Amino acid sequence: MNVGKKDNGNSGSGSGGSRISSKGRDVRMMELEGSVEKDRIKERGRVGKSRYANISEYGLQTYLLIAVCVSVMVLTVLLVNVVLNGVERLSPNLLFNYASSNVDEAGMRAAILGSLYTVALAIAIALPLGIATGLYLNEYGGGNLVSRMVYATLTNLAGVPSVIFGLVALSFLSYTLGLGRSIIVGSIALAFLVLPLITVTTIESTRMVPSTHRLAAYALGARKYQVVFKVVLPQIIPTVLTSSILALSRAMGEAAPILVISGLIFVRRDPLSIFDEFTVMPLQIYNWVSRPQQAFIELSAAGIIVLLLILLTLNVIAIYLRNRIQRRVVE
Amino acid sequence: MNRNIAIAAIIAAVAVGVVVGVIGTVGIGTNTKTAPTTPAGTSAPTAPAQVPTQTPRLSGSIVIDGSSTVYPITEVIAEEFSKKYPDVKVTVGISGTGGGFKRFTIGETDINDSSRPITDKERAAAKENNVRWVEIPVALEGLSIVVHKDNNLFPNDCVSIEELREIWKPDSTIKKWSDLNPAYPAQEMRLYGAGPDSGTFDYFTEHVVGKARASRTDYIPSEDDNVLVQGVSTDRYSLGYIPLAYAEHAQDRLKILKVSKEKNGECVFPESKSVIQGKYPLSRPLFIHINYDKMQSRQELKEFVLFYLSNAKSAVEKVGYIPLSDTYYKDAIRLINEGRYTPDDDTTFVSIYKEGL
């Protein structure tokens, strides 16, 4: 008898669901009456259940599968397109040479190093800041007006066009604070660009931590900071690291804020300190793709392949680290 | 079994993606790759590379920013210059002519790549910050009027400035080809042109429409000239204006029109000869603006400017623009060597380039 009730609850979607649930109420009432009647109705209920459940089960599954196929297909088209266009231009020069006007000699060395420095620094700034903000808002701010406003501001920040971050960083950091058009300014701009992503993930995953865990810790005499750092933080780290992978990819592909802050393409030396001028891969690619010569357009495709490979490598490293940390937390 | 179906579907999606991707790329490829594959870079390196490295005593750093149109020329020069003088650090940016001038007029940069002369506002800003400058034309850029490859409507493939003005002026009534000439088909005329942030737009409106920045707005604008090439070459009833270098590299896909100053006037095809001689009506000079006081005091900067002018011809040809006359470059070098130029005077070099016409 309970079986019928449970099923109704599970498949309770759309109009079909509500019809079944009214039937389920009938079933419950019938339970008090004769058993023959009850069995017959139960039988009917099961038939109804399987028909609707089958449709929703397979319908949903097909829909999900189509969704996966569409995104996989689009991604494949893009990848194949880029690879076919650029594969002929792939060469070690692309990694080891500086910018050049000769297609065969041109490389992205300064841009690759610039990208790596900038993005690494940006993540190093955004990650502790984002986690701390998220923890505070959820564990200490606890739904008061101010923290709700901060939360709303953060989600709005995620929708601000990235070039605005570049403009603000340029006027405030480069000129007011006199940091110049340097790597540090670029990374701070990128850090704030990805900050909402990390903070919102932190807040959401902190909410997922069962309150029983916190209460158990309190019951054992833990202080609040101990609960936050020893109970909550370890549980959210894997999710937050996932968001940092997304943040990394986002920061790596940004051209607009860096175009405003640095604007440089032609740099023929490696960036050494965080106060050096720099350029990044998307800028270099953007410059190549907008040239009249077909060869440079092919070169930009090769540049995109290099960018993707570097991104892939970084993501693999990040995922490996996350899984290690996750295992340690579970143990 | 379900899992098998799912895997099969995803594999099928990948396969479809590969096929579409290949077709898409090869489709574009047949259009472009058969094009005269002049990998502009592979041609002979510019002359100065062969010059045995002279005493690399110069050091310092030269900061250049400005127009992305002028950038390719400066890139060639900067590259060769850093090979010759490895201790001089040269950086070149692409903040745009206006964006570059903002930095130049506060003395932040040494040279500004400019696709137009300095404006009054920028003069004032420079004056306020005690920045004195020298304006030197370094190359010419032709602006081409293009239509679809199979468009034979214009007699002799020639269009007059007057017709262009009728087409492009604000609130133009020409919507269909037949509005321009009743003999043309009644097909919608789709227009392609530079976006309003580009120097090309400023130039075109000023010299064709007659008023700077006045243009009809119902056309397809793009800051990316390759997009315009793509648009015109796939649109049977299109007309557009794009920088000559882009049109020349896509000559197998679109048609470059001749242009006449007046109706029934002499039709001139845009090519280096007609542009240098000033016969082709739509061409503009590209400049570098140099900080006067820094050039006086810093040997490496003066050397760079001289290097720029003596190698400009090969560099400009290499990147697809049109060089000024040989005499102009020689005269300009002499002026600099003899110090015969005054700050904040935009006539010195421009006049000797105009004399050469």
Side-chain angles (χ1 to χ4, degrees):
Chain A
M1 304 130 229
N2 270 338
V3 178
K5 233 168 87 185
K6 231 184 242 166
D7 281 337
N8 293 338
N10 281 348
S11 59
S13 64
S15 58
S18 69
R19 236 174 87 199
I20 296 172
S21 78
S22 71
K23 217 176 269 166
R25 227 172 290 136
D26 291 347
V27 174
R28 242 175 290 145
M29 280 161 66
M30 299 292 181
E31 275 172 17
L32 306 169
E33 296 169 11
S35 62
V36 183
E37 187 86 354
K38 189 177 76 181
D39 280 348
R40 206 164 56 83
I41 286 169
K42 218 168 91 183
E43 196 67 33
R44 222 175 28 185
R46 204 178 291 146
V47 171
K49 167 226 148 190
S50 68
R51 188 185 298 145
Y52 288 110
N54 276 345
I55 292 173
S56 2
E57 184 64 45
Y58 287 107
L60 181 66
Q61 216 174 333
T62 319
Y63 167 68
L64 294 180
L65 191 58
I66 290 173
V68 172
C69 289
V70 166
S71 41
V72 166
M73 204 170 74
V74 171
L75 190 68
T76 319
V77 170
L78 288 175
L79 272 180
V80 167
N81 197 318
V82 165
V83 168
L84 280 187
N85 273 322
V87 77
E88 280 172 40
R89 293 270 163 207
L90 274 182
S91 78
N93 283 350
L94 221 46
L95 291 181
F96 300 117
N97 279 15
Y98 294 111
S100 166
S101 53
N102 289 328
V103 175
D104 294 329
E105 285 177 23
M108 311 203 287
R109 180 181 173 141
I112 292 172
L113 290 173
S115 270
L116 290 178
Y117 280 127
T118 319
V119 170
L121 205 54
I123 298 295
I125 296 169
L127 207 51
L129 207 57
I131 295 177
T133 315
L135 278 180
Y136 178 82
L137 288 184
N138 208 47
E139 296 297 314
Y140 293 88
N144 63 30
L145 187 66
V146 176
S147 65
R148 261 184 286 160
M149 273 168 61
V150 172
Y151 186 79
T153 316
L154 272 171
T155 42
N156 280 336
L157 199 65
V160 172
S162 60
V163 69
I164 305 293
F165 288 89
L167 288 169
V168 173
L170 179 71
S171 70
F172 181 68
L173 299 171
S174 298
Y175 287 112
T176 313
L177 296 187
L179 290 173
R181 292 164 179 260
S182 54
I183 289 182
I184 182 74
V185 176
S187 356
I188 292 175
L190 290 182
F192 280 89
L193 190 68
V194 299
L195 189 66
L197 192 69
I198 295 175
T199 313
V200 171
T201 321
T202 309
I203 293 175
E204 295 306 329
S205 54
T206 314
R207 283 184 188 157
M208 299 293 228
V209 176
S211 56
T212 46
H213 290 199
R214 295 191 184 86
L215 295 177
Y218 284 131
L220 293 172
R223 304 286 299 269
K224 180 140 196 169
Y225 79 89
Q226 288 173 315
V227 172
V228 170
F229 283 99
K230 301 224 159 117
V231 176
V232 177
L233 190 60
Q235 294 196 47
I236 64 165
I237 280 218
T239 327
V240 172
L241 284 185
T242 308
S243 81
S244 78
I245 294 172
L246 284 174
L248 186 120
S249 310
R250 169 98 200 265
M252 199 75 151
E254 275 297 336
I258 305 294
L259 180 62
V260 173
I261 293 168
S262 155
L264 278 184
I265 299 289
F266 186 87
V267 189
R268 284 184 77 90
R269 65 197 175 106
D270 300 338
L272 293 173
S273 92
I274 55 167
F275 299 108
D276 274 352
E277 63 229 332
F278 69 111
T279 185
V280 293
M281 283 187 271
L283 268 193
Q284 187 72 65
I285 292 167
Y286 163 75
N287 179 256
W288 282 339
V289 84
S290 63
R291 294 198 182 198
Q293 293 88 355
Q294 183 64 27
F296 271 111
I297 296 174
E298 287 165 21
L299 192 63
S300 71
I304 293 171
I305 298 177
V306 171
L307 175 67
L308 287 180
L309 287 179
I310 291 178
L311 202 54
L312 197 65
T313 318
L314 290 179
N315 283 352
V316 166
I317 295 172
I319 290 170
Y320 171 75
L321 284 178
R322 183 191 64 190
N323 290 351
R324 267 186 69 122
I325 293 174
Q326 206 162 15
R327 218 173 301 136
R328 209 182 300 157
V329 169
V330 171
E331 281 161 11
Chain B
M1 202 188 78
N2 264 337
R3 181 174 293 170
N4 290 344
I5 294 173
I7 291 171
I10 291 173
I11 291 174
V14 171
V16 172
V18 169
V19 170
V20 174
V22 169
I23 292 171
T25 319
V26 175
I28 298 166
T30 45
N31 274 336
T32 53
K33 274 178 190 154
T34 48
T37 329
T38 30
T42 51
S43 49
T46 41
Q50 272 94 17
V51 178
T53 23
Q54 292 168 353
T55 47
R57 62 211 140 75
L58 291 179
S59 63
S61 67
I62 297 172
V63 184
I64 308 171
D65 202 350
S67 163
S68 55
T69 310
V70 188
Y71 170 80
I73 310 173
T74 307
E75 184 191 47
V76 176
I77 304 283
E79 188 182 347
E80 299 302 340
F81 187 80
S82 358
K83 281 180 190 159
K84 191 174 172 189
Y85 301 104
D87 293 338
V88 182
K89 291 172 214 134
V90 187
T91 55
V92 191
I94 47 160
S95 299
T97 304
F101 263 128
K102 285 202 183 93
R103 298 183 67 191
F104 180 79
T105 51
I106 55 172
E108 208 177 275
T109 53
D110 306 321
I111 295 178
N112 196 52
D113 287 340
S114 327
S115 62
R116 55 163 172 78
I118 189 168
T119 63
D120 291 341
K121 226 175 169 181
E122 286 153 0
R123 278 165 203 271
K127 192 155 193 166
E128 201 176 303
N129 296 300
N130 291 321
V131 171
R132 300 191 287 173
W133 45 266
V134 185
E135 180 175 282
I136 303 182
V138 290
L140 291 171
E141 188 198 27
L143 193 58
S144 57
I145 309 298
V146 289
V147 291
H148 188 266
K149 209 178 153 201
D150 302 325
N151 185 330
N152 298 316
L153 293 175
F154 288 105
N156 188 24
D157 289 334
C158 178
V159 65
S160 70
I161 297 283
E162 210 172 306
E163 283 171 306
L164 288 173
R165 182 179 308 129
E166 282 308 308
I167 295 172
W168 283 96
K169 70 182 182 187
D171 308 319
S172 164
T173 51
I174 296 174
K175 306 283 178 209
K176 292 179 176 164
W177 283 85
S178 51
D179 296 335
L180 186 65
N181 183 336
Y184 295 164
Q187 293 279 356
E188 193 195 340
M189 182 192 277
R190 274 185 294 273
L191 296 167
Y192 294 79
D197 285 338
S198 109
T200 313
F201 176 82
D202 291 343
Y203 174 82
F204 184 83
T205 47
E206 192 174 336
H207 288 80
V208 172
V209 180
K211 194 174 162 226
R213 306 193 65 76
S215 165
R216 69 191 286 171
T217 49
D218 54 343
Y219 70 102
I220 299 159
S222 176
E223 311 290 344
D224 183 345
D225 297 307
N226 284 321
V227 171
L228 298 176
V229 168
Q230 189 70 22
V232 173
S233 62
T234 54
D235 194 339
R236 181 71 177 76
Y237 291 99
S238 58
L239 184 142
Y241 61 91
I242 50 177
L244 184 57
Y246 289 85
E248 275 179 340
H249 276 91
Q251 245 170 340
D252 57 325
R253 283 181 286 158
L254 41 75
K255 181 180 273 178
I256 304 176
L257 295 179
K258 293 170 205 152
V259 178
S260 64
K261 272 183 195 135
E262 300 94 29
K263 210 161 186 151
N264 306 319
E266 191 195 354
C267 291
V268 186
F269 188 77
E271 57 199 345
S272 35
K273 203 174 158 204
S274 60
V275 172
I276 295 173
Q277 290 172 342
K279 280 187 186 158
Y280 182 72
L282 296 175
S283 73
R284 58 170 173 167
L286 303 174
F287 303 90
I288 53 172
H289 287 82
I290 305 140
N291 187 309
Y292 176 85
D293 294 300
K294 286 184 183 168
M295 182 155 74
Q296 301 299 99
S297 61
R298 282 167 40 195
Q299 186 60 30
E300 77 274 9
L301 188 56
K302 187 177 172 192
E303 194 60 40
F304 183 84
V305 175
L306 288 171
F307 190 89
Y308 203 122
L309 289 167
S310 26
N311 296 290
K313 191 174 184 216
S314 58
V316 167
E317 280 171 350
K318 183 175 172 183
V319 299
Y321 297 125
I322 296 157
L324 298 155
S325 67
D326 293 342
T327 30
Y328 163 77
Y329 289 124
K330 272 187 206 135
D331 288 347
I333 291 170
R334 205 175 51 236
L335 284 186
I336 291 178
N337 272 329
E338 293 168 5
R340 284 199 289 127
Y341 53 92
T342 40
D344 300 351
D345 176 12
D346 52 358
T347 57
T348 326
F349 290 90
V350 173
S351 66
I352 59 164
Y353 124 73
K354 282 195 173 140
E355 268 168 33
L357 294 180

